[in-house]
């Protein structure tokens, strides 16, 4: 082979790997859209399931997922951002902080079903919250913590050190420096981490399995101590537990869930891009 | 008469064990332009950063000795470091604007000190920019990004920024590095004005600059103070052989 041919072959092979990487997700999206789009209409999105879930819509599950995601945000964001600020700005490098970092890395690697069982033991039984939105949101929040802490700490550390030094030299306290010179510039990264974490939480089944999710509950929850339906679990139920379930409803449900999770990622990307463009340095 | 700033037996060691300063003793009087000069690694920047306790930010370092401002030790346990840095301003060798407008850069230290009144802030911003000889160039674009300024303008903005709080002492770490001769002259001119009001301690860009601007100067070498004296004495009749060799360009 001539050098040009080698070049062309290499280029072709490398492009091929990129295509192979993208292909599955494109196929999944196309397949789910093609099969599910027919089921999507106003009634599907706003009505509860009827007739043993073989008719009607998914509204209680959709609303449940939205509430759980918001609950996860409330539970996880303050704690995760606080921890990230502590690790990046206050904690030095010592045995204690190294242990914390190790714990965070390990938390991120724990299978989600383990979080589910932990949530059952801790929130449902020990704290006696029962199978409830509160227990579910706390469990999902716990699972989201490591992702958000790591990305937020990363974002805080990318803010140039000179800004901190200049701020100190101008008589700003440590907190003023963090508040005015660090957090505003770390915000795009922090928000990206939060959204990606929430996106994952919105699509998880295992953590809500024992802590909040109802098999079939057409009434909407009235308080955070109520159970609720949720999309991922609902999808699992109608795909495996209900005989004679119309395929279009299954794929329609999958499509809505996919749409929610992907739009989280999309929003994260847009925020990051816009805020990066506005950055001055 | 007590000195404005008095350094007594000051030694400093970095975390890696390198001793940057050894037993430094010197007095700096109010309203003088005091120059710290010497070859690189002499400890000039380290010494400056000890005077506003910016060196505190580094972990694992060791300091002994005292720094007295108006007769009071700035390393005493009850000293509020934030308050100290409001009284001792600093300009860095690399001009570093904070993200945001020129105006917000100038207003930052004032706002952090709790000044809320817009008129007071606007007044101080204008006066500081005038003192740094930058007002005429930026008065119509105060809301523009500070990053849009030229190198020389950025450095004068940083000077103005350090003046906004009206500190008693200003520390200048090579404030004309990377500036063209015209910008350098502008900065030097403003220094002569500024010392009417402030005490200035400066690390110069070169021996030539040191002899041009200094009222008094100190020659540092490898973390030791070789000689302190008036401009006349140090640059015309140095007592120490090493000082003479350095100012006449035999090494450095």
């Amino acid at each position: 082979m001539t050098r040009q041919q080698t070049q062309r072959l290499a280029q072709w092979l490398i492009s091929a790997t990129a295509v192979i990487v993208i292909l599955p997700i494109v196929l999944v999206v196309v397949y789910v859209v093609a099969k599910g789009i027919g089921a999507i209409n106003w009634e599907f999105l706003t009505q509860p399931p009827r007739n043993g879930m073989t008719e009607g819509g998914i509204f209680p599950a959709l609303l449940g997922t939205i509430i759980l995601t918001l609950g996860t945000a409330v539970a996880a964001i303050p704690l995760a951002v606080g921890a990230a600020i502590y690790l990046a700005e206050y904690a030095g490098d010592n045995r204690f902080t190294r242990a914390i970092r190790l714990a965070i890395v390990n938390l991120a690697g724990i299978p989600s079903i383990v979080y589910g069982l932990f949530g059952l033991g801790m929130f449902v039984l020990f704290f006696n919250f029962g199978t409830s939105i509160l227990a579910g949101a706390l469990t999902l929040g716990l699972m989201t913590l490591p992702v958000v802490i790591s990305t937020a700490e990363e974002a805080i550390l990318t803010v140039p050190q000179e800004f901190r030094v200049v701020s100190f030299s101008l008589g700003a306290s440590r907190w003023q420096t963090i508040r005015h010179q660090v957090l505003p510039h770390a915000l795009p990264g922090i928000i990206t981490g939060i959204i990606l974490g929430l996106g994952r939480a919105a699509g998880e089944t295992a953590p809500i399995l024992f802590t909040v999710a109802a098999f079939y509950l057409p009434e909407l929850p009235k308080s955070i101590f109520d159970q609720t339906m949720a999309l991922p679990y609902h999808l699992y139920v109608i795909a495996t537990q209900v005989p004679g379930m119309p395929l279009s409803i299954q794929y329609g449900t999958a499509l809505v869930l996919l749409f929610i999770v992907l739009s989280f990622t999309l929003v994260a990307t847009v925020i990051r891009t816009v805020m990066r463009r506005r950055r001055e340095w | 008469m007590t000195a404005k700033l008095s350094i007594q037996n000051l030694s400093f060691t970095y975390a890696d064990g390198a001793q940057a300063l050894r037993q430094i003793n010197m007095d700096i009087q109010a309203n003088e332009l005091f120059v710290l000069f010497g070859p690189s690694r002499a400890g000039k920047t380290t010494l400056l950063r000890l005077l506003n306790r910016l060196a505190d930010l580094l972990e694992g370092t060791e300091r002994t000795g005292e720094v007295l401002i108006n007769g009071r030790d700035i390393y005493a346990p009850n000293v509020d470091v934030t308050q100290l840095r409001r009284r001792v301003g600093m300009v860095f060798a690399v001009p570093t604007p904070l993200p945001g407008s020129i105006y917000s850069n100038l207003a930052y230290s004032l706002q952090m000190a709790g000044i809320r009144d817009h008129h007071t802030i606007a007044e101080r911003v204008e006066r500081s920019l005038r003192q740094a000889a930058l007002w005429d160039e930026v008065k119509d674009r105060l809301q523009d990004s500070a990053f849009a300024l030229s190198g020389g303008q950025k450095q004068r903005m940083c000077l103005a920024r350090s003046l906004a709080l009206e500190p008693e002492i200003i520390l200048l770490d090579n404030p004309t590095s990377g500036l063209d001769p015209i910008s350098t002259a502008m900065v030097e001119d403003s220094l002569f004005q500024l010392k009417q009001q402030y005490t200035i301690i400066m690390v110069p860009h070169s021996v030539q600059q040191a002899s041009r601007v200094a009222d008094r100067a100190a020659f540092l070498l490898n973390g030791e103070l070789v000689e302190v004296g008036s401009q006349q004495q140090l640059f015309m009749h140095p007592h120490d052989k090493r000082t003479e060799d350095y100012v006449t360009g035999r090494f450095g």
Side-chain angles (χ1 to χ4, degrees):
Chain A
M1 271 197 288
T2 68
R3 206 184 304 169
Q4 280 84 355
Q5 282 171 320
T6 332
Q7 277 286 342
R8 216 169 301 147
L9 183 70
Q11 220 161 48
W12 190 88
L13 279 175
I14 290 166
S15 316
T17 58
V19 172
I20 292 168
V21 167
I22 302 168
L23 209 57
I25 185 154
V26 173
L27 283 180
V28 168
V29 172
V30 168
Y31 188 73
V32 171
V33 169
K35 290 268 200 174
I37 195 81
I40 308 289
N41 54 43
W42 188 243
E43 196 208 333
F44 185 72
L45 296 174
T46 56
Q47 295 296 315
R50 282 195 315 271
N51 200 7
M53 294 194 264
T54 55
E55 286 172 30
I58 55 167
F59 181 64
L62 181 58
L63 183 74
T65 286
I66 292 171
I67 292 172
L68 279 175
T69 309
L70 289 176
T72 307
V74 172
I77 292 173
L79 209 57
V81 174
I85 293 174
Y86 171 74
L87 285 175
E89 296 289 330
Y90 288 94
D93 184 26
N94 53 46
R95 239 179 235 186
F96 177 59
T97 56
R98 256 175 275 160
I100 295 181
R101 277 170 225 275
L102 190 67
I104 291 170
V105 172
N106 282 315
L107 276 178
I110 291 177
S112 54
I113 185 69
V114 177
Y115 279 103
L117 287 167
F118 177 79
L120 172 69
M122 184 83 168
F123 303 124
V124 177
L125 300 175
F126 183 74
F127 284 128
N128 209 13
F129 295 150
T131 313
S132 63
I133 290 173
L134 181 61
L138 288 174
T139 308
L140 285 171
L142 212 58
M143 189 195 73
T144 313
L145 276 181
V147 183
V148 183
I149 293 175
S150 311
T151 42
E153 190 192 354
E154 201 65 36
I156 290 170
L157 289 176
T158 54
V159 176
Q161 183 63 21
E162 298 98 82
F163 297 166
R164 296 180 181 86
V165 176
V166 167
S167 178
F168 286 132
S169 82
L170 290 169
S173 66
R174 185 172 283 270
W175 171 246
Q176 285 177 326
T177 299
I178 293 171
R179 163 80 185 73
H180 296 279
Q181 298 305 332
V182 177
L183 288 186
H185 310 308
L187 206 56
I190 295 175
I191 292 177
T192 308
I194 289 171
I195 294 176
L196 291 177
L198 291 182
R200 185 177 162 217
E204 276 289 349
T205 315
I208 58 174
L209 198 56
F210 316 117
T211 54
V212 54
F215 186 87
Y216 174 67
L217 186 72
E219 297 88 36
L220 303 179
K222 290 175 191 63
S223 86
I224 56 170
F225 293 104
D226 288 345
Q227 276 188 276
T228 178
M229 296 179 80
L231 275 180
Y233 183 59
H234 181 60
L235 181 58
Y236 165 74
V237 166
I238 60 177
T240 61
Q241 309 289 305
V242 182
M245 192 72 208
L247 270 182
S248 67
I249 291 189
Q250 296 181 25
Y251 280 107
T253 308
L255 178 56
V256 173
L257 182 58
L258 193 65
F259 176 79
I260 290 178
V261 174
L262 287 185
S263 52
F264 270 106
T265 316
L266 190 70
V267 169
T269 315
V270 169
I271 289 177
R272 189 167 38 187
T273 315
V274 170
M275 289 181 129
R276 282 242 174 98
R277 208 171 294 153
R278 244 188 268 158
R279 193 153 80 176
E280 299 166 87
W281 76 89
Chain B
M1 174 184 131
T2 48
K4 182 72 190 170
L5 190 147
S6 177
I7 297 167
Q8 300 183 350
N9 298 319
L10 188 64
S11 297
F12 189 77
T13 309
Y14 280 106
D16 62 3
Q19 192 167 19
L21 293 171
R22 267 173 255 249
Q23 295 289 316
I24 305 291
N25 284 287
M26 62 176 86
D27 281 357
I28 295 164
Q29 306 302 331
N31 298 89
E32 72 177 347
L33 201 170
F34 191 92
V35 164
L36 295 168
F37 73 106
S40 61
R41 300 188 54 79
K44 300 161 291 181
T45 298
T46 306
L47 182 52
L48 272 194
R49 288 188 175 216
L50 280 165
L51 303 184
N52 65 349
R53 291 187 59 171
L54 216 50
D56 287 11
L57 299 179
L58 302 168
E59 279 177 45
T61 60
E62 204 189 307
R63 173 200 54 83
T64 57
E66 293 175 348
V67 176
L68 311 179
I69 292 179
N70 301 329
R72 295 173 64 179
D73 185 9
I74 63 169
Y75 283 96
N78 59 345
V79 168
D80 178 350
V81 182
T82 310
Q83 211 59 45
L84 168 74
R85 294 188 186 131
R86 287 177 185 150
R87 288 164 51 212
V88 184
M90 183 166 212
V91 178
F92 299 87
V94 179
T96 309
L98 294 170
S101 68
I102 299 168
Y103 190 88
S104 68
N105 264 275
L106 269 290
Y108 183 68
S109 65
L110 302 168
Q111 287 160 343
M112 293 307 107
I115 299 173
R116 291 274 170 272
D117 181 57
H118 293 293
H119 291 292
T120 314
I121 293 176
E123 230 171 68
R124 297 265 200 117
V125 167
E126 176 174 345
R127 199 196 43 225
S128 322
L129 284 168
R130 281 187 192 283
Q131 285 179 324
L134 188 60
W135 175 253
D136 290 329
E137 290 164 59
V138 300
K139 63 181 175 199
D140 299 321
R141 50 183 183 123
L142 290 173
Q143 297 306 326
D144 288 6
S145 166
F147 286 88
L149 296 170
S150 74
Q153 289 172 328
K154 271 184 202 155
Q155 193 53 286
R156 278 178 284 149
M157 187 204 75
C158 291
L159 178 59
R161 189 173 61 187
S162 74
L163 301 175
L165 268 180
E166 302 191 304
E168 298 164 38
I169 299 169
I170 331 170
L171 311 172
L172 305 174
D173 189 357
N174 197 348
T176 60
S177 71
L179 295 196
D180 59 90
I182 296 172
S183 302
T184 302
M186 288 172 102
V187 171
E188 288 179 10
D189 281 345
S190 32
L191 294 185
F192 290 117
Q193 298 295 317
L194 288 171
K195 70 182 179 188
Q196 314 296 324
Q197 191 184 344
Y198 304 98
T199 303
I200 303 174
I201 304 171
M202 171 176 170
V203 171
H205 180 60
S206 61
V207 180
Q208 289 80 0
Q209 184 178 49
S211 88
R212 264 201 312 275
V213 300
D215 293 322
R216 289 197 314 135
F219 177 57
L220 294 169
L221 187 62
N222 297 327
E224 279 176 56
L225 175 62
V226 176
E227 193 169 352
V228 185
S230 68
Q231 190 266 357
Q232 273 284 322
Q233 185 218 313
L234 235 68
F235 296 99
M236 306 298 169
H237 315 286
H239 293 316
D240 195 288
K241 181 78 171 64
R242 291 168 294 176
T243 315
E244 186 183 342
D245 286 350
Y246 187 73
V247 298
T248 53
R250 239 167 266 160
F251 78 101

